[in-house]
Amino acid sequence: MASDHTADVLSALANSDGPILTAEAFPELPSTIIKSSLDRLGSREMLSYKTLEREEYLLTKEAEGIAAEGSHEAKVFEAVRNAVDGLKISDLQSIVGKESAKVGQGKAFASKWVKKDDKDKNLLRAATDNITDTTQEQLQEILKTKSHSDSRVLSDLKKRKLITPQKVIAFEVSKGPKYARELVIQETDLTADMLASGAWKTVKLKPYNFKALGAPTPSGALHPLMKVRHEFRQIFFEMSFTEMPTNNFVESGFWNFDALFVPQKQHPARDQQDTFFISDPLRAERPRPPNPDEPSRLLSDPTSQSSNDVSKKLDYEKYWKDIRAVHQDGAFGSIGYRYPWKEDESLKLVLRTVKTPPPSTRSQLTSLQHTTATSTQMLHQLAADPRPARYFSIDRVFRNETVDATHLAEFHQVEGVIADFDLSLGGLIGFMEVFYGKMGIHDLRFKPAYNPYTEPSLEIFSYHQGLKKWVEIGNSGMFRPEMLLPMGLPEGFRVFGFGLSLERPTMIKYKVNNIRELLGHKVDLGFVQSNAAVRLEKD
């Protein structure tokens, strides 16, 4: 233990007229052990010390053999010199060994110690009478002194893997103002016995160290994405939104695509390069009312009818046929897409995905569409009791992307839908200005866009002061009648929705340039533990 050496240190100082070096006084003690004793004595001002660091070099096992027996090249020279009539190259390995023959032959040639016979190129002859084995001398010096005066020698030997560096810590120790030959034990507690006996008057009490740092208390930390997510949720709740459940990562193509009036053909989101399809099981069931024993996938709204009453009023079979009709033949005043709608395609199981915009504008960080399958099911449930409603969700979605600095295969989507009678495009624009204003974003522009399930559709831009340009921050639009009327929602009942990524505002707030540093296996836990709180409306 460290206390076993405090007396040794005090004794060494008593026998010295000046400072002592621990490497000389206690060469066999590890620096960590001796430092514990020095710290204990230093806290009592009995001594002071300075830390000295230096680099020493140790010989490898191969180098120890060279220091004792000579270098590989010297062994080759001796073997060639001892062969009066020359030494065949093929015989060299059997005399000096495989390693020495392999390494030493080239070194001996480079040093011009040996040469090939003028007539027989397979024969080696000595090119000089005497040599100096420099490598052996260098290693012997390092063995004695643990270093070498020429840094180039050290560098060369390290390249040859003959020496390895080792950091050595030593201490220069001097007597302190309260130095004594013996360590006086200091009491840390004032006990009842000391008070009763009066011993407290003579004992040495250890002084309080008011500069000592307290032990750090380990605690959990919220990921930056979760902090920004919390801010978004507060904004939605302030604006009277209800949060949708998003616990289903796997959905059918019907809820994820067809019910949103996304065509089965000629839309990139239905292709395998953009969507993760489930292989087992391959197909989902047709849409149906939930079984009474199944937990409800949709939230309970106190202003709506009970879930059983809703299920009774919703005709899932008619909804299925109306979706087929609006795609294949046209219905509800629409000519539809006029293609053969396939049930198998509609019932394929997929990982919940993002509705993909045209490839020329697609980007997770700048042109995210909104609306997952949950929004569709919420609106279908709303058809049983049409009334003003506001829903939002923040959760993961998936897309088969090539991972790079701005794209991941899974990311987070912020989405919201507002349903009411006689909504207008002007109301959507006004709401967007209020919504983004709560984040501190006030200068907005809107640009017409295309989504298969909204018309009109708007891309939302804001001027970025840092980049000095307009950047896209979201997507919005009013849902088409081809999506709403098959659900059973009445004429004049309008719904508009909007969406953006969670990662983009988080990257901007925390100045992260690579999305892989924010989400995934490359995330620095230190960054997660030390990042500051976030307020979206503050710079």
Side-chain angles (χ1 to χ4, degrees):
M1 295 179 61
S3 58
D4 294 337
H5 303 287
T6 53
D8 298 334
V9 174
L10 293 174
S11 177
L13 283 172
N15 296 329
S16 174
D17 295 330
I20 62 171
L21 296 176
T22 57
E24 298 175 356
F26 313 103
E28 297 180 358
L29 286 180
S31 59
T32 53
I33 297 297
I34 197 67
K35 186 176 187 301
S36 298
S37 298
L38 297 179
D39 286 338
R40 187 180 182 193
L41 295 170
S43 66
R44 292 163 170 78
E45 299 184 15
M46 298 180 72
L47 58 77
S48 60
Y49 69 89
K50 293 190 299 184
T51 302
L52 307 175
E53 292 187 8
R54 71 178 189 278
E55 197 169 51
E56 291 185 351
Y57 293 88
L58 303 178
L59 303 190
T60 63
K61 187 175 181 179
E62 179 186 359
E64 290 175 354
I66 292 175
E69 302 173 4
S71 64
H72 300 302
E73 54 268 31
K75 291 179 181 178
V76 170
F77 172 76
E78 289 298 332
V80 173
R81 186 174 64 173
N82 292 336
V84 179
D85 297 325
L87 180 63
K88 289 184 179 180
I89 296 177
S90 57
D91 295 336
L92 182 61
Q93 182 173 325
S94 62
I95 298 174
V96 299
K98 182 178 179 180
E99 185 67 20
S100 293
K102 178 182 177 182
V103 178
Q105 188 177 166
K107 289 281 186 180
F109 275 118
S111 301
K112 296 183 180 181
W113 293 352
V114 299
K115 63 181 180 180
K116 290 184 178 180
D117 189 82
D118 294 334
K119 296 180 180 180
D120 187 354
K121 298 301 181 183
N122 293 320
L123 200 65
L124 297 177
R125 293 190 179 278
T128 183
D129 294 332
N130 296 294
I131 63 167
T132 300
D133 193 350
T134 307
T135 302
Q136 184 184 33
E137 292 177 352
Q138 292 168 347
L139 292 175
Q140 288 175 344
E141 180 181 344
I142 293 173
L143 184 63
K144 294 178 182 178
T145 64
K146 307 298 183 182
S147 186
H148 196 280
S149 57
D150 192 339
S151 60
R152 290 174 298 179
V153 171
L154 295 173
S155 178
D156 180 61
L157 293 176
K158 280 196 291 186
K159 289 180 182 178
R160 295 176 62 181
K161 298 181 179 180
L162 295 176
I163 59 173
T164 55
Q166 175 180 278
K167 182 180 287 188
V168 177
I169 298 176
F171 306 96
E172 184 182 65
V173 186
S174 304
K175 295 178 181 178
K178 296 183 180 179
Y179 170 77
R181 289 292 300 266
E182 295 181 0
L183 177 63
V184 178
I185 302 299
Q186 293 179 325
E187 298 293 341
T188 57
D189 296 309
L190 186 63
T191 66
D193 290 340
M194 291 180 189
L195 295 174
S197 65
W200 63 272
K201 299 178 181 179
T202 56
V203 298
K204 293 289 186 179
L205 293 173
K206 185 176 181 179
Y208 283 107
N209 182 5
F210 293 102
K211 296 182 179 180
L213 298 177
T217 303
S219 62
L222 282 176
H223 190 282
L225 279 172
M226 295 301 100
K227 293 183 178 181
V228 177
R229 179 180 182 272
H230 174 77
E231 288 293 305
F232 271 112
R233 292 181 78 242
Q234 296 310 305
I235 291 173
F236 279 118
F237 290 141
E238 287 174 10
M239 303 183 78
S240 302
F241 278 76
T242 301
E243 189 166 15
M244 296 183 287
T246 54
N247 54 319
N248 272 52
F249 283 177
V250 177
E251 294 286 358
S252 69
F254 177 84
W255 290 114
N256 206 74
F257 297 120
D258 294 315
L260 281 160
F261 200 53
V262 176
Q264 291 184 352
K265 293 185 176 182
Q266 299 177 343
H267 195 275
R270 304 299 282 259
D271 296 338
Q272 288 191 0
Q273 64 263 28
D274 278 318
T275 304
F276 289 106
F277 288 87
I278 306 301
S279 60
D280 185 19
L282 285 171
R283 288 164 52 92
E285 298 179 358
R286 281 192 181 189
R288 59 170 176 80
N291 292 328
D293 297 334
E294 293 179 351
S296 177
R297 293 179 54 186
L298 300 179
L299 53 83
S300 59
D301 189 337
T303 65
S304 68
Q305 303 175 29
S306 70
S307 58
N308 289 334
D309 292 340
V310 168
S311 298
K312 289 177 182 177
K313 293 184 66 174
L314 294 175
D315 189 340
Y316 284 85
E317 183 63 28
K318 183 178 184 300
Y319 185 37
W320 171 268
K321 292 179 179 178
D322 286 346
I323 290 295
R324 177 197 295 270
V326 80
H327 278 256
Q328 181 171 283
D329 305 313
F332 306 101
S334 170
I335 62 173
Y337 289 116
R338 293 175 290 180
Y339 67 91
W341 188 84
K342 296 180 180 179
E343 178 176 330
D344 286 345
E345 184 70 24
S346 183
L347 295 181
K348 286 182 178 178
L349 285 169
V350 300
L351 281 181
R352 182 173 63 200
T353 187
V354 181
K355 310 305 173 287
T356 315
S360 61
T361 62
R362 189 169 64 209
S363 167
Q364 286 178 10
L365 297 183
T366 59
S367 186
L368 276 171
Q369 305 296 325
H370 60 283
T371 309
T372 63
T374 304
S375 302
T376 317
Q377 296 175 62
M378 289 299 300
L379 292 174
H380 181 234
Q381 177 179 285
L382 192 63
D385 181 22
R387 67 193 187 285
R390 294 185 174 196
Y391 300 128
F392 82 95
S393 70
I394 307 172
D395 209 340
R396 292 194 183 191
V397 290
F398 306 86
R399 190 160 65 200
N400 194 354
E401 290 277 10
T402 300
V403 176
D404 58 28
T406 57
H407 293 80
L408 289 176
E410 57 177 304
F411 46 98
H412 293 78
Q413 179 176 278
V414 181
E415 63 176 86
V417 293
I418 298 178
D420 205 344
F421 291 92
D422 301 321
L423 295 176
S424 66
L425 182 63
L428 171 61
I429 293 174
F431 173 81
M432 288 290 96
E433 290 175 341
V434 174
F435 177 76
Y436 281 100
K438 288 181 175 292
M439 303 182 214
I441 302 173
H442 300 284
D443 197 1
L444 299 182
R445 285 184 180 178
F446 300 88
K447 174 184 174 183
Y450 167 75
N451 300 314
Y453 45 89
T454 57
E455 180 61 37
S457 305
L458 297 173
E459 292 174 350
I460 307 167
F461 290 80
S462 173
Y463 189 77
H464 195 293
Q465 294 291 342
L467 298 176
K468 303 298 182 184
K469 66 177 183 179
W470 291 88
V471 295
E472 187 177 348
I473 58 173
N475 199 293
S476 62
M478 302 189 67
F479 289 135
R480 296 174 65 104
E482 292 95 333
M483 175 184 165
L484 300 179
L485 295 180
M487 295 178 177
L489 291 167
E491 293 277 356
F493 194 82
R494 307 286 174 81
V495 181
F496 52 67
F498 54 94
L500 65 153
S501 79
L502 183 64
E503 280 76 5
R504 182 174 182 84
T506 306
M507 292 175 69
I508 292 173
K509 280 293 179 182
Y510 288 99
K511 297 180 174 57
V512 176
N513 296 322
N514 191 327
I515 194 173
R516 290 169 291 190
E517 297 174 3
L518 187 67
L519 188 65
H521 66 282
K522 294 186 177 180
V523 174
D524 180 5
L525 293 181
F527 166 68
V528 174
Q529 294 166 356
S530 62
N531 63 75
V534 64
R535 291 287 299 275
L536 291 178
E537 78 278 11
K538 302 293 184 182
D539 292 332

